[in-house]
Each structure stands twice: as structure tokens, then as C-alpha cells.
Amino acid sequence: ADTPAYLSGEFPGDYGWDTAGLSADPETFKKYRELEVIHARWALLGALGIVTPELLSTYSGVKFGEPVWFKAGAQIFSDGGLNYLGNPSLIHASNIVATLAVQVI
């Protein structure tokens, strides 16, 4: 397989493989790199949001409805629904379809 001329190996992860041609235009490629950094930062915040409730409930005694991230979503099926930040006056989710619709919009 021939390496495209625009892939010179100067950027991280550039191993000469771009089947979709996403980095063929330098300006578009620059925009994609900037967007990737933004997405990576959001992912880091998401990872922090996953571990923080577990650490706080385990070591500081802070009470959460469900500190384990992969179990927390099941609270929407409980009798009272899901209160974000433990406060029913902020955002109260009691219908999973409505919650999904709002997230899609």
C-alpha cells in the first residue's frame, strides 16, 4: 500500500494510513486536530466525573444515590425517578423516553 503524499509522519498517530482522506486538505486537518483536542478534554472530564462520586462516597463519606457510574442510570427506573445533584428542583428525570428526547435535541 502506498502512503499518501500528505501523510509525512509529522503528527502524532500519522502512520501513513488515511483511507477516508480526512487529512488530505491541510485546513480541514487542522480543524479536525483542534476538535480532537476539545473532545479529548471533554472525555477527561467525563472520566473525572466517573471516579469522583465513588472516591467521595468511599473515602469522605459523602452520600450519593448510587456512586457507581454504570449503576447510576438505573435510578431513573426507581419510584422517585432521578434527581440530578440530589435536588428535585434542578432537573428531575422520571421518564426515560423524555430524557432521551431532550438529550438528542
Side-chain angles (χ1 to χ4, degrees):
D2 294 329
T3 302
Y6 56 85
L7 295 178
S8 61
E10 65 181 298
F11 295 106
D14 178 5
Y15 300 109
W17 185 68
D18 184 20
T19 57
L22 296 175
S23 58
D25 177 37
E27 288 301 313
T28 305
F29 184 52
K30 180 181 177 184
K31 182 176 119 183
Y32 288 157
R33 285 194 325 261
E34 291 171 2
L35 289 173
E36 186 65 25
V37 170
I38 292 169
H39 290 137
R41 289 175 180 162
W42 279 110
L44 287 169
L45 284 173
L48 181 65
I50 286 173
V51 298
T52 300
E54 283 193 65
L55 292 174
L56 287 176
S57 68
T58 303
Y59 299 111
S60 297
V62 177
K63 300 295 181 198
F64 290 92
E66 177 56 67
V68 181
W69 68 272
F70 57 87
K71 295 179 182 177
Q75 292 179 36
I76 199 167
F77 298 115
S78 66
D79 290 335
L82 178 63
N83 295 321
Y84 289 96
L85 301 175
N87 188 341
S89 62
L90 289 177
I91 300 173
H92 179 72
S94 60
N95 185 327
I96 194 161
V97 176
T99 305
L100 184 64
V102 167
Q103 289 178 356
V104 169
I105 294 172

